Amino acid sequence: MAALALGIGLFLYWLLLGLALVSVLHSRRNVLQSWLLAPAVGAAAVVLCVYWLNRCGVPVGRFGPALAIVLFLAAGAALVRVRPVFPIRRLAPFGVVLLFALLLIGRPMLQFGFDWVSYGNDDMTNYVMGATRALHHGFTDPPDREALLLNRDVTLHFWFMHAVAGIRAGADLTLAWVMSCTGLNGLQAFMPVIVALHLVLVGVSGALVFTGRWRRLAAWLVCLWMSCSALTVLGTLYQLIGQVFGMVLLLGAAVLLFRARFAGSPAALLRESVLTGLVLSALILVYPELLPFLALAFGLWVVIGLARRRLDLARGLRSWCWTGFTAALVVNRPGVIAIDFLRQQAGVGLERAAATESLFPFYLIPSGLANLWGFLPLDQGSAPEPWLSAAILAGGVALLAATLAMAWGTARAEPVSALGLVFTGMGYYFFAQRLDFATFKLAMYLQPFLIGSMVVAWARPLPRLAAAAPVIVFCLAGLPAVDHYVDRSRGQPGGLVEVPYASSSHMISALLRASAQLPQPYVIADTLNVVISKFHGICLRGRVFSWPANDYMGQIASAFTARALDRFQTAWITSLPQEMLVRAGRLLRECRGDWVPRSFDLRQDPPRAFQFYQDVGLIPPGYDPKSVAVISDGPPQTVLNRRSFPPGNRDNYRIAPLSTVSNHLIFINSDLGQGYYQGIRSLVSLFQVEPDPMIPGASMAGAGRYMLLEVLNPAASPRLALNLTSSLKGDAANLLPPAQVVGETRVPFPLPSRGSARVFSPPVVPQKIGGRYYLALDMGVGGTPFPQRRTGLMRLYGLDLRLDTRTLVAFARDISLLSDEQYRSLRAPARVAAFPRDLTDQDLEYAGIYEDGWISEQAYFQLSQPPGRSLLTIRGVVPRIDDPDFSCEARVLVDGRELLKQTLRPGDFELLAAVPFRPGRRRVDLLFSRFQRLPAPDNRPAVGRLFVAGF
């Protein structure tokens, strides 16, 4: 409840502050529009004050609470003086809509409080890290060299982003201010802040169309529809705080800028212009990418206003000059940097989408028309026909109607329509150029303009109920998608969720408690998940960190310093002091100096090797292993090392002294096997964890061909355990890969046939490189994409684009290392009979069985033979599918010796073989001479279905 209250409190604070500014600086506006605009103005005022105080070298933590009090008192005094109108009855309907919007999107805060992580987007962690740096440091304060190089404070890497590269910092500073006032960690404060901004966005969207009293209903309908806009909700839940805040300021600036009538006196004209300039200044600090759209739309609106003789050009020019002067005065140097930032951002995503590599193909395929209006969720995949085609058709018709409404409104000099026409025109251009990321972002930007233009087009000529009816229809159609996005934000694995179960397990609070109790000054952080790596650095800040998997933090510094170098070479635009750039380059070289290039020999002919970087800068010489802690992902976050956790364990992470860790595998990013984040898709070793449809409650991860693994404290000649499935590949072959583990030699896994398997390698000796130990996993074959089947209107265009761009060899359920002693002590079951439950026994070694009991032409089990049980029983059924005369020869081998041969035909079968007792595990092989194919669309090769196999 406290988290929800914080979101409400922020909205009300911005409302109070903005209302004071609007009342003092604004004139000749209708009262309700001023109230809807006020929170956006208040948020702009806060970010400008925080920016300039931080820019003067004062950490936000030192002045945040004092600034909040001073602004509150100043706003109160201003309101007492000007006595604004408080129309409770007319505001009440808007208050109801805002409350509805809050409960619709923010209800997970009632369940998880400040631990609501939502989707766990990487952008969110970057904003939090930037905010944390601002909380403790001045804007341009150079980082402490030792703290930076040892990753003792990973947030210092954002000095390269904000101070050196000049990347927008407005959202970070706002979050830092909230952190200073509440004492919350940034990860805890983030969702209340962005939910509060979401409410501001809903309100200011109504303000944009509220250009007269008759527009009250239109403004209310726009607010209602925005509350139910699935893509608007997704932008908030996906934690795009820069985008949400930027859209708030864009709409606020448009409300103030797109006006045909101006104040009568010069003083009033100046006040209005200053207010507009302040909001524009905040937009430059928060999200300058939107400035070109605003400028183009404003130019179009001015031309049409002049043509219709509704615009006083002379007074307008004076107002706009004052606005520009105010913006230039407030942001000066950041404004210059923003121009260059726009130049660089213009190239982001402006590449044609490749058929297999596009990560954002959603609006380049027909289902994007349905996604745009929330008729279908973005991350749910295809709906069944005919509903899919119906949703696409409805979305296309709605987009055509919205385009016509925007054209009509633009001709009538409607601000919302002029903005919408520019955004939509750019969207059509991006679509024609197949710019996948640009269309993905633009679809979210478009929502207030699509909605506002359509409502304005029909609201005035229609009676109230008739005007409300289409909005209600669209809202009801979009609510299932909204509910889907909110439900996904609770953290179930799959889709857009980056950190599964983070909210339900209260991961952030647990990490903060662990930080307070952790005695070790050095930490080895083992995670393949870039978001979790930043969780570690934020929550355990103050310790010496190493991420052996990848140089997650150095990548931040490298990327932004490269941008600064590029800008410095275009001297006509840069305002960056040369000494700062020199310092940045030197620090970057020192950071990268701890990463030494290494090579891992794959022991194959012709020779081939992994090329990777080894972090050698963590632990000082002569260290005490007890002073080093290892924090590693748990089963919900990774498929590595799952055997070291009890079955069913749901711990997100584990912290243990290095001295107590053994046979622990750490994924290492290399040229042949890369991490899922920003890796080349065809070279990714392991993708994110997702639900396992074959085993209820379980999870798995897509696997590519190559994987390099560091081993912490390996046992002598350990074995690699591999739990895989190819049952879900959908290629009508479902072959298990010919996998091998590579150490000093190549060692093959016993992986015959198809389906799923849990196998153990023979003993293997890791390669020792730079004093550390490494193994590699080679699946033996390259990955393949999933087949895509398009039906109905999905065949209209974009047939070469894939929603799932992964190329997979198989799905991995567990990859673990165990000692030879642990392997020999496995207690195999005496039989398997319940599928898939019995296949989940970690002590069972098997291969060639599908999880639902269908058996391929070659399978085996390692089973225990209890004393007194000498009868081996194999029971199942051979189905009659296509060939009624189907038959095959079945052979049963135990420990390599054939005991039974029998011909099977469609129907139930039972194979019985007497087996002399021998203690220990017995290998039971089932071999069949032919197989059938299960009916389409399954198409898996299978002989029959197994009911029982065992003693």
Side-chain angles (χ1 to χ4, degrees):
M1 190 66 184
L4 197 66
L6 176 58
I8 297 172
L10 283 170
F11 176 82
L12 294 177
Y13 183 89
W14 291 329
L15 172 63
L16 175 71
L17 183 58
L19 189 62
L21 284 169
V22 170
S23 299
V24 171
L25 298 177
H26 204 28
S27 62
R28 296 189 179 182
R29 287 286 165 181
N30 66 65
V31 174
L32 289 181
Q33 187 191 48
S34 296
W35 277 84
L36 293 174
L37 172 66
V41 174
V46 168
V47 73
L48 290 174
C49 291
V50 174
Y51 170 74
W52 273 112
L53 288 170
N54 189 240
R55 186 90 193 182
C56 291
V58 186
V60 177
R62 292 186 185 176
F63 66 77
L67 175 65
I69 293 171
V70 169
L71 291 177
F72 180 81
L73 294 176
L79 291 174
V80 169
R81 181 180 177 183
V82 300
R83 298 181 181 275
V85 178
F86 187 23
I88 299 178
R89 291 181 61 184
R90 285 179 288 165
L91 282 173
F94 292 94
V96 171
V97 169
L98 290 176
L99 180 61
F100 169 70
L102 173 67
L103 295 177
L104 189 63
I105 195 173
R107 58 189 188 271
M109 281 193 283
L110 297 173
Q111 183 179 0
F112 306 122
F114 292 115
D115 284 327
W116 184 32
V117 177
S118 192
Y119 285 87
N121 185 15
D122 180 52
D123 283 352
M124 177 265 290
T125 59
N126 289 336
Y127 285 116
V128 170
M129 291 172 75
T132 305
R133 193 192 81 86
L135 185 71
H136 299 287
H137 301 277
F139 193 86
T140 59
D141 289 351
D144 177 82
R145 176 181 174 278
E146 182 181 352
L148 180 71
L149 299 183
L150 295 178
N151 283 324
R152 185 175 284 124
D153 184 354
V154 297
T155 68
L156 295 178
H157 288 274
F158 279 75
W159 174 77
F160 293 93
M161 176 178 176
H162 292 153
V164 177
I167 307 301
R168 47 179 158 81
D172 310 58
L173 293 169
T174 303
L175 182 59
W177 172 73
V178 175
M179 293 164 63
S180 71
C181 294
T182 61
L184 293 169
N185 183 279
L187 296 172
Q188 297 173 311
F190 190 94
M191 289 310 297
V193 172
I194 198 172
V195 166
L197 288 170
H198 177 78
L199 299 182
V200 180
L201 178 59
V202 170
V204 76
S205 298
L208 184 60
V209 304
F210 207 154
T211 55
R213 290 185 177 180
W214 66 274
R215 288 284 178 85
R216 187 190 309 172
L217 175 62
W220 186 84
L221 290 174
V222 167
C223 291
L224 176 63
W225 194 347
M226 282 291 290
S227 301
C228 301
S229 166
L231 282 186
T232 302
V233 168
L234 178 62
T236 299
L237 295 177
Y238 203 44
Q239 300 162 309
L240 305 176
I241 192 171
Q243 173 183 302
V244 176
F245 200 176
M247 288 299 298
V248 164
L249 296 171
L250 172 72
L251 293 169
V255 171
L256 296 166
L257 191 61
F258 288 66
R259 62 182 189 273
R261 297 179 181 179
F262 302 92
S265 67
L269 183 67
L270 175 60
R271 289 196 301 269
E272 286 191 347
S273 303
V274 167
L275 182 61
T276 308
L278 291 176
V279 177
L280 275 175
S281 301
L283 177 60
I284 292 171
L285 292 178
V286 171
Y287 210 65
E289 294 96 314
L290 294 174
L291 284 173
F293 297 96
L294 180 62
L296 286 172
F298 182 67
L300 176 63
W301 178 82
V302 168
V303 169
I304 293 174
L306 291 173
R308 294 174 63 88
R309 298 182 179 180
R310 292 186 177 182
L311 187 62
D312 184 344
L313 184 60
R315 298 182 66 81
L317 286 173
R318 287 198 292 272
S319 175
W320 303 330
C321 287
W322 278 116
T323 296
F325 177 76
T326 301
L329 184 66
V330 172
V331 297
N332 54 72
R333 178 182 294 178
V336 175
I337 295 176
I339 296 173
D340 182 62
F341 178 65
L342 287 174
R343 178 182 65 83
Q344 296 182 36
Q345 287 295 92
V348 176
L350 298 186
E351 296 180 0
R352 294 180 184 273
T356 58
E357 291 291 324
S358 172
L359 298 181
F360 302 94
F362 308 107
Y363 297 99
L364 301 181
I365 56 178
S367 57
L369 294 170
N371 300 146
L372 182 66
W373 300 95
F375 299 154
L376 292 175
L378 197 69
D379 60 338
Q380 198 177 39
S382 296
E385 293 288 4
W387 305 114
L388 176 59
S389 292
I392 292 170
L393 180 61
V397 171
L399 180 58
L400 177 61
T403 304
L404 294 175
M406 286 183 285
W408 175 85
T410 301
R412 296 173 62 85
E414 292 285 352
V416 68
S417 298
L419 281 160
L421 198 63
V422 167
F423 275 92
T424 304
M426 292 302 297
Y428 287 137
Y429 171 76
F430 292 158
F431 173 81
Q433 296 297 313
R434 293 169 58 93
L435 305 179
D436 57 340
F437 182 70
T439 56
F440 171 73
K441 296 289 284 187
L442 205 71
M444 295 185 188
Y445 298 158
L446 265 174
Q447 296 302 301
F449 311 118
L450 291 176
I451 291 169
S453 296
M454 292 183 75
V455 171
V456 166
W458 72 54
R460 188 172 187 177
L462 294 177
R464 289 189 175 186
L465 289 179
V471 173
I472 293 172
V473 170
F474 273 99
C475 288
L476 292 176
L479 277 177
V482 171
D483 188 64
H484 171 80
Y485 292 142
V486 173
D487 186 61
R488 299 296 300 159
S489 77
R490 291 183 168 91
Q492 292 298 316
L496 299 173
V497 175
E498 297 282 351
V499 188
Y501 308 113
S503 300
S504 59
S505 64
H506 297 274
M507 185 177 184
I508 302 305
S509 292
L511 280 171
L512 292 172
R513 287 194 300 269
S515 177
Q517 301 167 2
L518 189 64
Q520 289 87 358
Y522 304 102
V523 176
I524 297 175
D526 164 29
T527 182
L528 177 59
N529 189 313
V530 65
V531 178
I532 293 178
S533 75
K534 294 172 184 177
F535 282 6
H536 293 161
I538 294 167
C539 294
L540 278 67
R541 180 172 163 270
R543 291 171 177 81
V544 178
F545 259 95
S546 174
W547 288 271
N550 206 346
D551 185 14
Y552 295 121
M553 304 307 151
Q555 290 174 348
I556 298 170
S558 298
F560 293 118
T561 303
R563 290 192 183 190
L565 285 166
D566 177 57
R567 185 173 69 246
F568 189 75
Q569 291 168 0
T570 58
W572 69 276
I573 198 172
T574 187
S575 60
L576 184 70
Q578 185 174 3
E579 60 271 18
M580 183 182 290
L581 190 61
V582 171
R583 182 195 293 268
R586 184 174 64 249
L587 285 174
L588 180 61
R589 286 191 297 273
E590 291 184 271
C591 288
R592 297 298 298 172
D594 286 337
W595 288 84
V596 178
R598 303 290 193 193
S599 179
F600 179 96
D601 191 343
L602 277 168
R603 306 293 194 232
Q604 68 181 44
D605 188 23
R608 197 173 188 185
F610 282 106
Q611 304 300 325
F612 67 101
Y613 284 89
Q614 187 182 72
D615 182 6
V616 299
L618 167 67
I619 302 171
Y623 74 95
D624 179 1
K626 295 181 180 179
S627 68
V628 180
V630 177
I631 180 168
S632 56
D633 287 341
Q637 309 300 338
T638 183
V639 296
L640 297 177
N641 305 300
R642 282 186 169 179
R643 292 189 66 86
S644 61
F645 289 85
N649 184 277
R650 293 289 183 183
D651 292 341
N652 281 300
Y653 64 90
R654 176 172 56 192
I655 302 179
L658 177 59
S659 56
T660 65
V661 174
S662 63
N663 293 325
H664 184 86
L665 299 175
I666 298 177
F667 171 82
I668 303 297
N669 195 69
S670 67
D671 62 332
L672 298 180
Q674 301 179 3
Y676 73 91
Y677 186 77
Q678 293 184 338
I680 299 172
R681 304 295 276 181
S682 59
L683 298 179
V684 171
S685 299
L686 279 176
F687 288 89
Q688 294 148 290
V689 170
E690 60 185 285
D692 188 337
M694 305 296 285
I695 301 177
S699 60
M700 61 186 188
R705 174 167 183 174
Y706 290 111
M707 193 181 308
L708 180 62
L709 302 164
E710 181 176 353
V711 186
L712 294 183
N713 299 330
S717 301
R719 296 172 181 257
L720 192 67
L722 195 59
N723 188 352
L724 296 175
T725 181
S726 61
S727 302
L728 297 162
K729 287 194 67 176
D731 59 358
N734 305 99
L735 289 169
L736 288 164
Q740 296 180 313
V741 59
V742 185
E744 289 296 340
T745 59
R746 271 187 170 259
V747 182
F749 284 95
L751 278 169
S753 198
R754 316 171 195 273
S756 66
R758 181 185 296 104
V759 292
F760 302 85
S761 74
V764 61
V765 178
Q767 291 183 30
K768 191 173 184 180
I769 303 171
R772 287 146 74 171
Y773 299 91
Y774 295 88
L775 293 172
L777 180 61
D778 179 1
M779 294 292 191
V781 293
T784 56
F786 285 103
Q788 56 176 2
R789 302 177 181 88
R790 300 280 179 87
T791 60
L793 294 184
M794 280 295 289
R795 298 185 58 81
L796 283 175
Y797 53 86
L799 293 176
D800 59 331
L801 293 171
R802 298 180 178 276
L803 280 173
D804 191 336
T805 60
R806 297 174 297 175
T807 55
L808 303 180
V809 175
F811 286 96
R813 295 189 171 114
D814 178 31
I815 302 172
S816 298
L817 197 68
L818 67 165
S819 67
D820 190 56
E821 180 182 357
Q822 288 174 311
Y823 173 74
R824 296 183 184 280
S825 64
L826 295 179
R827 297 186 176 183
R831 68 173 190 166
V832 291
F835 298 95
R837 186 189 64 193
D838 286 358
L839 298 183
T840 63
D841 186 340
Q842 290 196 25
D843 286 357
L844 172 67
E845 182 175 0
Y846 77 96
I849 306 293
Y850 298 106
E851 292 81 351
D852 49 5
W854 293 101
I855 188 168
S856 67
E857 70 272 26
Q858 189 175 0
Y860 81 90
F861 300 92
Q862 291 274 12
L863 302 174
S864 295
Q865 184 178 8
R869 297 191 189 178
S870 59
L871 189 63
L872 177 65
T873 303
I874 312 294
R875 284 205 306 272
V877 62
V878 175
R880 187 188 302 272
I881 301 179
D882 293 326
D883 182 6
D885 298 324
F886 173 83
S887 66
C888 68
E889 185 179 75
R891 300 165 57 211
V892 179
L893 285 71
V894 177
D895 297 334
R897 180 186 170 199
E898 185 176 306
L899 297 183
L900 179 67
K901 182 185 296 185
Q902 184 173 319
T903 299
L904 302 182
R905 291 183 172 82
D908 293 339
F909 68 85
E910 183 175 52
L911 307 176
L912 303 175
V915 182
F917 172 73
R918 196 195 73 188
R921 283 174 291 164
R922 313 296 300 271
R923 173 165 172 149
V924 177
D925 284 88
L926 306 177
L927 307 176
F928 303 89
S929 60
R930 295 177 61 197
F931 64 80
Q932 307 179 87
R933 287 197 180 276
L934 298 180
D938 193 324
N939 296 322
R940 285 179 295 171
V943 176
R945 194 161 196 167
L946 192 64
F947 297 151
V948 175
F951 294 96

